Amino acid sequence: MIPQFGQTRSDIRRNHALLTPESHEWITDPDWPGAEIAYLISPDMGAKFAMGLVRTASGLNDIAPAPDGIARFIFVLHGEVRFSSGQTLWSEGFAFLPPDSSARLTAPADTRFVLFEWRFTQRGDVPAPVFGHVADVEGTPLRGDDWLMVQKMLPTDAGFDGEFNIMNFQPGASLAYVETHFMEHGLLLLDGGGVYRLDDQWYPVTEGDAIWMGPHVPQWFGALGRVPSRYLIFKNYNRSPLATR
Ligand code: UGY
Ligand code: MN
């Protein structure tokens, strides 16, 4: 890719987007002193959630919780993230912070993580925070295909309004059919690559690429190459399309 001639693999459309690293715009945000953030997905493009990559320059010290009503999910890519509630996460550690969480966040220099934020749709009691590590999450075959294992990082009970999964594809494995569903996705490709079909486009994708899939967008992935592919994926879940978000 030669950006000096104006090319990018990024492609932002009405109902989906591919966001590739060479086009990331890193900004500062007064709510995150010490960080640079590339917001890749936002309500401005039509999504009902935000997804950003956060990297620390000098480090983060005692970052305040999200505004009222907003839930957060944090997935550590590199370095260390500590919470005032006592937990420490390392690479591939994750945290779900419900909208009423008071946990504050600290991280040393050279830390990178993915940040999701969304307006939480409460049903019954607000769930407690969840902390964990991908290596400790059991995988299950997607629709019986053991070449496509899904690790669900959050419990599936009715209190949760979304799911965060790691999808693990053996080389050559693919989604069984072209999915079309009202739920949205935010995705970060962690390893490997392949071809992602979004609407009527087929995109070559590789590690570090991010994708927004809007409601109802036809979607399919086939893993290529000689190593397994993995992606982190968010999906609003457990709520009817008419539930307010
Ligand atoms: O959970 C999902 O909807 C998932 N199978 N979608 C996807 O990987 N694009
Ligand atoms: Mn899907």
Side-chain angles (χ1 to χ4, degrees):
M1 190 57 55
I2 308 173
Q4 57 266 46
F5 293 115
Q7 288 98 342
T8 176
R9 289 188 302 111
S10 287
D11 191 8
I12 293 150
R13 303 206 173 207
R14 182 190 63 79
N15 59 4
H16 70 271
L18 171 66
L19 299 313
T20 60
E22 79 284 348
S23 63
H24 291 177
E25 184 78 9
W26 294 91
I27 63 160
T28 54
D29 179 332
D31 289 334
W32 292 87
E36 290 182 314
I37 309 183
Y39 284 106
L40 304 179
I41 301 174
S42 83
D44 294 315
M45 74 205 311
K48 295 186 190 66
F49 65 96
M51 172 180 150
L53 301 177
V54 182
R55 64 186 187 199
T56 62
S58 49
L60 306 181
N61 190 20
D62 210 28
I63 300 294
D68 271 1
I70 304 295
R72 278 184 177 157
F73 185 87
I74 285 168
F75 183 89
V76 181
L77 298 169
H78 184 261
E80 188 180 300
V81 175
R82 290 190 293 275
F83 296 90
S84 54
S85 43
Q87 298 80 5
T88 300
L89 302 178
W90 295 276
S91 178
E92 306 231 330
F94 58 85
F96 163 78
L97 302 170
D100 59 356
S101 166
S102 58
R104 303 176 77 87
L105 182 157
T106 296
D110 198 25
T111 290
R112 288 185 289 116
F113 58 90
V114 191
L115 171 70
F116 290 86
E117 291 185 326
W118 69 102
R119 191 161 297 285
F120 191 80
T121 309
Q122 191 173 339
R123 185 175 184 280
D125 292 338
V126 175
V130 178
F131 298 91
H133 192 281
V134 171
D136 301 326
V137 180
E138 213 178 314
T140 52
L142 185 69
R143 297 179 192 90
D145 180 357
D146 62 2
W147 275 33
L148 203 184
M149 301 294 283
V150 182
Q151 292 167 283
K152 289 182 184 280
M153 290 179 273
L154 295 186
T156 52
D157 57 75
F160 289 89
D161 70 344
E163 59 177 29
F164 287 86
N165 301 334
I166 304 289
M167 310 255 309
N168 301 265
F169 295 77
Q170 288 301 316
S174 66
L175 293 178
Y177 53 88
V178 180
E179 296 178 10
T180 57
H181 49 65
F182 77 86
M183 299 83 83
E184 291 185 74
H185 289 306
L187 177 157
L188 180 71
L189 200 60
L190 299 172
D191 296 308
V195 176
Y196 228 106
R197 177 186 172 175
L198 299 167
D199 204 358
D200 57 359
Q201 308 287 312
W202 276 255
Y203 296 98
V205 290
T206 188
E207 183 182 329
D209 289 351
I211 292 175
W212 169 57
M213 292 173 241
H216 301 287
V217 71
Q219 58 197 255
W220 176 88
F221 177 65
L224 293 174
R226 301 175 77 90
V227 296
S229 297
R230 287 192 314 148
Y231 55 71
L232 160 69
I233 186 167
F234 163 70
K235 179 185 198 174
N236 53 295
Y237 178 72
N238 261 341
R239 302 290 183 267
S240 99
L242 295 184
T244 1
R245 274 197 291 154

